[in-house]
Amino acid sequence: MIDKFVHSVAAALDGVPDGATILLPGFGDVGMPTALLEGLIAQGAKDLVLVCNSGGRDGSAVARLLTLGRVRKLICSFVRPASDAGRLLLAGKLEVEVVPQGTLAERIRAAGAGIPAFYTPTAADTVLAEGREVREIGGRRCLLEYPLPGDVALIDAWQADRWGNLTFRETQRNFNPIMAMAAGLTVAQTRHSVPLGAIPPEHVMTAGIFVNRVVHIPG
Amino acid sequence: MIDKFVHSVAAALDGVPDGATILLPGFGDVGMPTALLEGLIAQGAKDLVLVCNSGGRDGSAVARLLTLGRVRKLICSFVRPASDAGRLLLAGKLEVEVVPQGTLAERIRAAGAGIPAFYTPTAADTVLAEGREVREIGGRRCLLEYPLPGDVALIDAWQADRWGNLTFRETQRNFNPIMAMAAGLTVAQTRHSVPLGAIPPEHVMTAGIFVNRVVHIPG
Amino acid sequence: MSASFTPLDRDGMAAWAAADIPEGWVVNLGIGIPTEVANFIPPEREVIIHSENGVIGAGPAPAPDAINPFLVNAGTQPITLRTGGAYVHHADSFAIARGGHLDLTILGAFEVSETGDLANWARAAHEPVKQIGGAMDLAIGAQRLWVIMEHTTKEGAPRLHRRCTYPLTAKGAVKRVYTNLAVLDVTPDGFLVRDIVPGLSFEDLQARTEAPLRR
Amino acid sequence: MSASFTPLDRDGMAAWAAADIPEGWVVNLGIGIPTEVANFIPPEREVIIHSENGVIGAGPAPAPDAINPFLVNAGTQPITLRTGGAYVHHADSFAIARGGHLDLTILGAFEVSETGDLANWARAAHEPVKQIGGAMDLAIGAQRLWVIMEHTTKEGAPRLHRRCTYPLTAKGAVKRVYTNLAVLDVTPDGFLVRDIVPGLSFEDLQARTEAPLRR
């Protein structure tokens, strides 16, 4: 019997190695797997590459992971200058790669979908294109972009069953479905544990085949 | 008030011009918008480019459109030699571009997602790669593929509301969501007409923003 | 005579743009004044607001006692969903933007050029701390891009330029600019003044603008 | 002595492969004998069958009076869905295949080479009427690709070659072959015989195989 539930956050994060690339969803706090992120802080892995929409606000769990010096490189769509991430960057203590948000999403999607590279017009006429491969397609300048796979994806779900099928509420969805597909080890925290079959097959938002471990973190 | 419902198949297909590229979903008969396809046969547009998973079985509406000489070019993932499509091809009366099914789906998805080109390892080591741009990415040979947009997409839905939000049943889904996003004019037939709001917002499978016209074809 | 006009406030600019949005359009509203445009679209005029964190059909802010912590817009402000709305994931949401499915995007800006270049994300080309977000994707993808911004900086320097001085967000993308003084279309021949606040002359508007204006 | 063995029939080959599929694997089964592998996986062993038309968790064929016309597999045969299954659209379904989310794909073949090349879609390089379907995507994407096929053609010609003579579906993709005579792994040193039907000697198997075999 397939049963992806584990009984603790520690078990969910067992084996996350130093140097791992971590995919972390969330838009603000919405859809961010806070319990798993706190667990990662406790677990101790360092030298991490963190892929996350933003560098986070001060006091957030993301900012804490950064200020603890556990992240070598942050890949995100924006960093506030007046934030821990911004200050670490300016102090030379954090490498940051800033990627337009749609390109960030598409690179993660490409990692999960087995697309080795794609072109996009986004940012082709900006300073982000400096030193990059640019190709004119259909009269439009386009940048070549590569996938952004993770070693680990931390996922925030609303419901999960023992196969790892997941649902998300409203804008909780954001990066969760694409990050779940893009990592070698996908770990989900879920508000609700439901029996297999409780999620109608048309309404599964992330299929269990993309999920390796699930931990139940009730409301 | 936005209301995308039209009262007849003829109204739904009004203005489809000669030479149009038609995106036609369906896997076998499942998810194929048969009423719209019959309507297209009646409407008379010719010199069409038809994008469809297969050349169809004899006696099918697809085969009828082909044998009527209304299709200039068929883009699909397979053609049976012993079929109308196969015979027309061998007789030099139909141009056919055969594309691996996953690449076909991804090219349609790219058209809807604004991706001007992408690489895929699929078919890179086959005769389909002859004369094509091949690039080695991460030690793997990949083909460059371009989007496959339609002038018109014909869509088969289970439910629709007046904004054009759609649901599909089981494997009826297949190419429908990606084709709905990839055409200039997206026309849906629906088994059920439901009030706005009847489809829960998490369960909309194709958002109405991709749909231009809906015609209600009960059971 | 130039003292006899009143520049529009934020609400005035938002209302000016809102009046030009027809029913049925799918619209993304950037952070800041653009977001406020939604407040000036009467609810009976069905305009579908997209938010790049995965909302199709965003509605107005909820009552303070009815906030749903799972439902925010691209500025992470609590919102509601209109009847008929839907949710998608982030890649699908940017497929909407980049794929040309937005009839309109309205963004704020530092500068706009007479060729429609947009500069709205940085004041120096190589700022190490970059705040890009989704603006570049939105700017290149929409059927039409409008900008709402003050006509000049706080110091009175023009923001409508022949060429942008700040790093670009997108090239040749802006179609129309709503400022606190005027509405201007970006045309192949440069800025065309469509409307102007009462009491301000064309010449006085030109004096506040680096790029040459047409009427 | 070579007359004393019995080649496996279709069911035998399917059962042979089914025995090697552990619980929890995500598996795509190609049209033909591979599809029948599912019949030999006991229902209590949870194996998740993917079908490229958008099914995750395909179940057995329905009773004739319980056919759901909206639910078919990649061979357009009526199927059921297992409890816990889900549906996706075609691009997401091939993202599963190409993206490496299948633990195993099993396909039929005309020929397999000792370097794992697969030929299963055409008997001539430039046949105008091409029946490709999803085989190329499935072959390049799976974590492991197994083939089920007769060891020789009806005429007795070998189908396990040093180099394929038919046009390729994918290069270096096949990891294991189940024939009606043997199970063979594709290794860096060529075909390694893992199992062989009772009564057939290694030498007699080699005689029916163009590529050199190891044991």
Side-chain angles (χ1 to χ4, degrees):
Chain A
M1 192 176 93
I2 299 169
D3 188 357
K4 296 183 178 170
F5 278 97
V6 296
H7 293 292
S8 67
V9 168
L13 296 171
D14 185 46
V16 174
D18 290 352
T21 295
I22 310 284
L23 306 183
L24 182 71
F27 197 87
D29 293 334
V30 183
M32 183 173 284
T34 313
L36 291 174
L37 188 53
E38 297 285 352
L40 185 66
I41 291 172
Q43 189 260 7
K46 58 182 191 300
D47 198 29
L48 301 170
V49 176
L50 184 66
V51 179
C52 185
N53 185 55
S54 95
R57 294 183 184 280
D58 290 0
S60 68
V62 172
R64 207 133 36 82
L65 191 70
L66 297 174
T67 53
L68 285 168
R70 301 270 293 283
V71 176
R72 177 176 65 77
K73 180 176 181 181
L74 173 66
I75 304 176
C76 64
S77 83
F78 73 98
V79 178
R80 294 177 186 83
S83 72
D84 287 326
R87 285 182 291 267
L88 286 163
L89 166 62
L90 291 171
K93 293 179 175 165
L94 179 66
E95 184 185 350
V96 177
E97 177 183 347
V98 182
V99 179
Q101 199 173 132
T103 299
L104 184 72
E106 190 68 11
R107 289 177 62 190
I108 295 163
R109 191 262 174 195
I115 297 297
F118 63 90
Y119 289 97
T120 176
T122 300
D125 294 310
T126 76
V127 295
L128 299 188
E130 289 176 6
R132 301 272 306 279
E133 176 170 335
V134 176
R135 181 177 181 133
E136 192 169 309
I137 305 176
R140 214 165 178 197
R141 287 160 52 84
C142 296
L143 285 180
L144 183 65
E145 299 283 354
Y146 291 96
L148 201 41
D151 298 302
V152 180
L154 305 180
I155 299 299
D156 182 43
W158 178 247
Q159 296 170 300
D161 64 30
R162 68 177 172 83
W163 277 17
N165 291 307
L166 308 179
T167 67
F168 311 99
R169 273 192 61 172
E170 292 101 6
T171 59
Q172 181 191 24
R173 194 178 311 201
N174 61 64
F175 287 93
N176 278 287
I178 54 174
M179 286 185 169
M181 292 178 66
L185 174 69
T186 294
V187 180
Q189 65 174 73
T190 183
R191 195 70 71 96
H192 300 284
S193 165
V194 302
L196 197 69
I199 305 170
E202 273 96 352
H203 301 158
V204 171
M205 297 181 196
T206 287
I209 62 170
F210 305 120
V211 177
N212 301 96
R213 302 174 187 166
V214 184
V215 59
H216 184 198
I217 308 285
Chain B
M1 193 174 94
I2 300 169
D3 188 357
K4 296 182 178 170
F5 278 96
V6 296
H7 294 291
S8 68
V9 167
L13 296 170
D14 185 46
V16 174
D18 291 353
T21 295
I22 309 286
L23 306 183
L24 183 70
F27 197 86
D29 293 333
V30 183
M32 183 173 284
T34 313
L36 290 174
L37 187 54
E38 297 286 352
L40 185 66
I41 291 172
Q43 189 260 8
K46 58 183 192 297
D47 197 30
L48 301 171
V49 176
L50 184 67
V51 180
C52 184
N53 185 56
S54 96
R57 293 183 184 281
D58 290 1
S60 67
V62 172
R64 208 132 35 83
L65 190 71
L66 296 174
T67 52
L68 285 168
R70 301 270 293 282
V71 176
R72 175 176 67 78
K73 180 176 180 180
L74 173 67
I75 303 176
C76 64
S77 83
F78 73 99
V79 177
R80 294 175 186 84
S83 72
D84 286 326
R87 286 183 290 268
L88 285 163
L89 166 62
L90 291 170
K93 292 179 176 165
L94 178 67
E95 184 185 348
V96 177
E97 176 183 348
V98 181
V99 178
Q101 198 174 133
T103 299
L104 184 71
E106 190 67 11
R107 289 178 62 190
I108 295 164
R109 190 263 174 193
I115 297 297
F118 63 91
Y119 288 96
T120 177
T122 302
D125 294 309
T126 76
V127 295
L128 298 188
E130 288 176 6
R132 301 273 305 279
E133 176 170 334
V134 178
R135 181 177 182 134
E136 192 169 309
I137 305 176
R140 216 165 177 197
R141 288 161 51 85
C142 296
L143 285 181
L144 183 65
E145 298 283 355
Y146 291 97
L148 201 40
D151 298 302
V152 181
L154 306 180
I155 299 299
D156 182 43
W158 178 247
Q159 296 171 300
D161 64 29
R162 67 178 173 82
W163 278 17
N165 291 308
L166 309 179
T167 68
F168 311 100
R169 273 192 62 169
E170 290 103 6
T171 59
Q172 179 191 24
R173 195 178 311 200
N174 60 64
F175 287 93
N176 279 286
I178 54 174
M179 287 185 169
M181 291 179 65
L185 175 70
T186 294
V187 180
Q189 66 174 72
T190 184
R191 195 69 71 98
H192 299 285
S193 165
V194 301
L196 196 69
I199 306 171
E202 272 96 353
H203 300 158
V204 170
M205 297 181 195
T206 287
I209 63 171
F210 305 120
V211 177
N212 300 97
R213 301 174 187 166
V214 184
V215 60
H216 184 199
I217 308 285
Chain C
M1 295 305 290
S2 66
S4 67
F5 72 94
T6 308
L8 295 177
D9 61 6
R10 292 167 63 98
D11 280 0
M13 287 189 272
W16 220 356
D20 290 339
I21 302 175
E23 181 161 83
W25 273 17
V26 184
V27 180
N28 185 291
L29 301 173
I31 293 171
I33 306 178
T35 299
E36 297 176 25
V37 169
N39 302 332
F40 296 92
I41 300 171
E44 68 275 13
R45 194 200 308 163
E46 294 187 339
V47 170
I48 299 175
I49 308 292
H50 167 258
S51 196
E52 58 265 38
N53 59 319
V55 183
I56 303 172
D65 60 349
I67 288 175
N68 173 351
F70 289 87
L71 180 47
V72 298
N73 66 11
T76 65
Q77 302 164 309
I79 56 167
T80 54
L81 189 77
R82 278 189 84 127
T83 299
Y87 302 106
V88 294
H89 64 54
H90 237 86
D92 279 350
S93 187
F94 277 93
I96 291 171
R98 197 182 38 236
H101 304 287
L102 298 173
D103 294 293
L104 170 66
T105 288
I106 308 184
L107 296 175
F110 298 144
E111 299 176 342
V112 174
S113 84
E114 64 180 3
T115 55
D117 294 355
L118 171 69
N120 81 346
W121 71 278
R123 294 180 193 272
H126 295 97
E127 275 180 9
V129 185
K130 296 183 170 65
Q131 302 186 74
I132 295 177
M136 290 183 181
D137 312 275
L138 288 164
I140 61 96
Q143 293 296 322
R144 49 186 81 70
L145 175 64
W146 295 352
V147 161
I148 301 183
M149 66 176 187
E150 304 281 326
H151 202 89
T152 59
T153 67
K154 280 171 195 153
E155 296 75 27
R159 303 169 80 170
L160 294 171
H161 287 271
R162 283 192 163 89
R163 298 282 172 274
C164 291
T165 65
Y166 291 153
L168 297 191
T169 307
K171 206 175 166 76
V174 181
K175 294 283 175 289
R176 187 179 291 173
V177 184
Y178 294 82
T179 76
N180 53 343
L181 302 182
V183 182
L184 310 97
D185 275 352
V186 177
T187 76
D189 300 318
F191 288 114
L192 176 72
V193 179
R194 284 174 57 95
D195 206 350
I196 194 162
V197 291
L200 180 67
S201 71
F202 178 85
E203 289 71 23
D204 284 341
L205 184 69
Q206 179 66 76
R208 288 164 172 79
T209 311
E210 194 245 339
L213 304 180
R214 294 190 308 120
R215 53 183 154 184
Chain D
M1 293 306 292
S2 65
S4 66
F5 70 94
T6 308
L8 294 177
D9 60 7
R10 292 167 62 96
D11 280 359
M13 288 190 271
W16 219 356
D20 291 338
I21 301 175
E23 180 161 81
W25 273 17
V26 184
V27 181
N28 185 292
L29 301 174
I31 293 171
I33 306 179
T35 298
E36 296 175 26
V37 169
N39 302 333
F40 296 93
I41 301 172
E44 67 277 13
R45 193 200 309 162
E46 294 187 338
V47 170
I48 299 176
I49 309 292
H50 167 259
S51 195
E52 59 266 36
N53 59 320
V55 184
I56 303 172
D65 60 349
I67 288 174
N68 173 351
F70 289 87
L71 181 46
V72 300
N73 66 11
T76 66
Q77 299 163 311
I79 57 167
T80 54
L81 189 78
R82 277 189 85 126
T83 299
Y87 302 107
V88 293
H89 63 53
H90 236 87
D92 279 350
S93 188
F94 277 93
I96 292 171
R98 197 181 42 235
H101 304 286
L102 298 173
D103 294 293
L104 170 65
T105 288
I106 309 183
L107 296 175
F110 298 144
E111 299 176 342
V112 174
S113 85
E114 64 179 4
T115 56
D117 295 353
L118 170 69
N120 81 345
W121 70 279
R123 294 179 193 272
H126 295 96
E127 274 180 11
V129 184
K130 296 182 171 66
Q131 302 185 75
I132 295 177
M136 290 183 182
D137 311 275
L138 289 164
I140 60 96
Q143 293 295 323
R144 48 187 81 71
L145 176 64
W146 295 353
V147 161
I148 302 183
M149 65 177 190
E150 305 280 326
H151 202 89
T152 59
T153 66
K154 279 172 197 156
E155 296 74 27
R159 303 169 80 170
L160 294 171
H161 287 271
R162 283 193 164 86
R163 299 282 172 272
C164 291
T165 65
Y166 291 153
L168 296 191
T169 307
K171 204 173 167 78
V174 180
K175 295 282 175 288
R176 187 179 290 173
V177 184
Y178 294 83
T179 78
N180 54 343
L181 302 182
V183 182
L184 309 98
D185 275 351
V186 178
T187 76
D189 300 317
F191 288 114
L192 175 73
V193 179
R194 284 173 58 95
D195 206 351
I196 194 162
V197 291
L200 181 66
S201 70
F202 178 85
E203 290 70 24
D204 284 341
L205 184 69
Q206 179 66 76
R208 289 164 170 80
T209 310
E210 194 247 339
L213 303 179
R214 293 189 309 120
R215 54 182 153 184

